[in-house]
Amino acid sequence: MRLQFVWIGKTRDRHCAALTADYLARIRRFAPVEIGELKEYSGASGEDDRRVVAAEGIRILEAVERCDQVIVLEERGREFSSVEFADWINGKRETGVKRLAFIIGGFAGVSEDVKRRADLQLALSRMTLTHEMARVVLVEQVYRAFTLLAGMPYHKH
């Protein structure tokens, strides 16, 4: 099973970027990883959030394949414990899912079209996270899931 992470914009905070890169390297020990870092929408200044979300949504949908299992981060999405998340990933792996595509929208969220395309809307926390911090938490939890499935001691830390 392959993994794809799609998000809007570069990770500007160097600390978040370093942590994200570290966890992505760790995940690669378990599965191939692709990153879709999509350019932020650069429409006219002052455009309303709906237009930004719609334009970014088109780019996001173009980045995923028809057969992908799409997971979009959404504040009102389903919450998992780390063990439940690992079990969910394992279930996808066991049923032959070829690629999981994790989506993090831009500052204004994700479009309804992206939400409809998602097989799972996932909430990392009920607390609000910056998009860059959400990237770190997501990739750390994916890495944690793979270590749990492999019986490695990382989860106990």
Side-chain angles (χ1 to χ4, degrees):
M1 180 172 67
R2 297 176 301 142
L3 304 174
Q4 179 187 33
F5 295 90
V6 177
W7 50 62
I8 303 294
K10 293 189 179 297
T11 306
R12 291 183 175 92
D13 181 293
R14 65 183 174 92
H15 302 292
C16 287
L19 283 168
T20 300
D22 180 55
Y23 282 113
L24 289 170
R26 294 179 190 206
I27 293 167
R28 285 184 174 100
R29 296 180 210 157
F30 300 100
V33 174
E34 304 162 41
I35 305 300
E37 191 172 79
L38 306 178
K39 189 175 180 188
E40 292 174 280
Y41 179 69
S42 58
S45 66
E47 281 194 83
D48 64 34
D49 289 352
R50 288 181 312 221
R51 281 194 173 180
V52 171
V53 167
E56 290 175 347
I58 292 167
R59 291 181 185 165
I60 290 169
L61 292 172
E62 289 171 347
V64 298
E65 297 172 4
R66 189 177 51 79
C67 62
D68 286 348
Q69 194 68 196
V70 175
I71 303 93
V72 64
L73 270 59
E74 165 58 42
E75 65 186 353
R76 289 174 296 280
R78 181 174 172 190
E79 292 183 72
F80 289 100
S81 70
S82 295
V83 172
E84 291 168 339
F85 187 52
D87 289 342
W88 184 87
I89 288 175
N90 193 48
K92 297 304 172 189
R93 186 169 61 179
E94 287 180 349
T95 58
V97 169
K98 290 185 178 18
R99 186 165 85 163
L100 295 178
F102 293 93
I103 309 296
I104 301 177
F107 74 89
V110 294
S111 70
E112 289 303 315
D113 288 341
V114 172
K115 290 178 189 177
R116 278 191 292 278
R117 171 61 181 91
D119 298 287
L120 172 67
Q121 292 184 29
L122 174 66
L124 296 176
S125 170
R126 290 183 1 196
M127 294 181 173
T128 302
L129 302 171
T130 66
H131 292 280
E132 293 185 347
M133 189 60 71
R135 295 170 192 180
V136 173
V137 173
L138 175 63
V139 296
E140 190 279 336
Q141 286 298 304
V142 170
Y143 173 68
R144 182 177 298 273
F146 279 102
T147 62
L148 277 163
L149 296 171
M152 295 172 63
Y154 174 80
H155 181 66
K156 296 186 181 1
H157 289 96

